[in-house]
Amino acid sequence: MSNSKLNASIEAIKYIKPKIDLNSIIGVGTGSTVNYFIEELVKVKHLFKGAVSSSEASTKLLENSGIKVFELNDVNEVHVYIDGADEVDTFNNLIKGGGGAHTREKIVASASNEFVCIVDESKLVKTLGDFPLPVEVIIKSRSYVAREIVKIGGTPKLRKNFLTDQRNQILDVSDLKIEDPSILEQKINLIPGVLDNGIFANCKPQKVIVGKC
């Protein structure tokens, strides 16, 4: 597994190198695969200006590696965003958020010129939904949101002893039939109290790189 994550990261570096220059800002996601990518990114840190990070964990790794981290508000352009996923379907729709960072990940991905997803083969699925769908909720709305999710067929479970970087909670939702990811993504996000959910259909990657062992 680690070899495939490393190989995906190496391929991602090869893919982005021709696209960046000394003024480029690179968006960096969160998770175990991205940790491998950061290790490879350090080797070419002289080729770009800095990064925008989607989580406090990735920010620490980047800064400790000597890569300057910028706030999204302080940059005019993010040339490319690289992140992993928990599931990728045949149309490049994703489920993300196993690490609870999907809201910021979606923001940075949306603000970037190109979104590149790096995964190992185990993350490839025909239809999304086997991996529980993370939904970030404002704490005071948690019970209401859970009831609304039950109405659409989901089984929500509070992720215990966990707060997001925004100091919100996560409901992990199983038993959903995700036949139309784009519609379900919007439907859940319209529930008052939901900050964002882990379906990336309206903000899916332009390219998916699958690491081989």
Side-chain angles (χ1 to χ4, degrees):
M1 188 75 73
S2 59
N3 284 343
S4 58
K5 292 179 179 181
L6 174 60
N7 290 337
S9 300
I10 292 171
E11 289 302 312
I13 294 294
K14 291 179 183 177
Y15 178 77
I16 69 171
K17 276 179 70 175
K19 300 172 177 286
I20 60 175
D21 58 35
L22 293 177
N23 294 313
S24 296
I25 301 294
I26 297 174
V28 178
T30 308
S32 59
T33 305
V34 171
N35 292 346
Y36 283 94
F37 173 75
I38 291 174
E39 290 181 6
E40 296 304 309
L41 190 64
V42 172
K43 300 174 184 177
V44 296
K45 64 182 179 182
H46 58 287
L47 299 178
F48 61 96
K49 184 175 182 179
V52 169
S53 168
S54 69
S55 72
E56 293 176 6
S58 289
T59 294
K60 289 178 181 177
L61 284 176
L62 289 162
E63 290 179 338
N64 289 341
S65 300
I67 295 173
K68 187 172 182 179
V69 178
F70 294 85
E71 292 291 336
L72 182 60
N73 286 330
D74 296 331
V75 301
N76 294 322
E77 183 179 27
V78 179
H79 288 76
V80 61
Y81 175 68
I82 297 88
D83 203 354
D86 298 298
E87 285 187 342
V88 183
D89 74 8
T90 52
F91 299 100
N92 287 0
N93 299 301
L94 313 177
I95 284 183
K96 292 176 51 55
H102 60 273
T103 297
R104 282 176 61 180
E105 290 170 345
K106 194 176 289 187
I107 291 169
V108 180
S110 298
S112 302
N113 296 343
E114 183 178 10
F115 176 13
V116 178
C117 182
I118 53 175
V119 293
D120 60 73
E121 290 179 291
S122 70
K123 304 299 173 65
L124 303 179
V125 298
K126 288 185 177 180
T127 305
L128 301 179
D130 285 342
F131 190 91
L133 174 64
V135 179
E136 182 170 355
V137 297
I138 295 170
I139 291 174
K140 290 183 180 297
S141 71
R142 182 192 67 234
S143 294
Y144 167 71
V145 172
R147 292 194 297 272
E148 293 300 300
I149 287 174
V150 169
K151 290 178 183 178
I152 62 174
T155 303
K157 182 179 180 180
L158 176 65
R159 191 178 298 184
K160 293 184 178 180
N161 303 315
F162 181 87
L163 290 177
T164 68
D165 286 348
Q166 293 75 241
R167 314 306 294 172
N168 296 315
Q169 292 179 320
I170 296 282
L171 294 173
D172 290 307
V173 183
S174 55
D175 302 324
L176 283 174
K177 292 183 178 179
I178 308 181
E179 296 171 348
D180 190 329
S182 179
I183 294 298
L184 185 60
E185 179 183 6
Q186 295 178 64
K187 187 173 186 178
I188 293 174
N189 281 351
L190 286 173
I191 301 172
V194 170
L195 194 57
D196 214 323
N197 72 84
I199 298 175
F200 282 56
N202 296 291
C203 175
K204 62 185 179 181
Q206 286 83 13
K207 182 174 182 62
V208 175
I209 294 175
V210 182
K212 308 290 185 180
C213 289

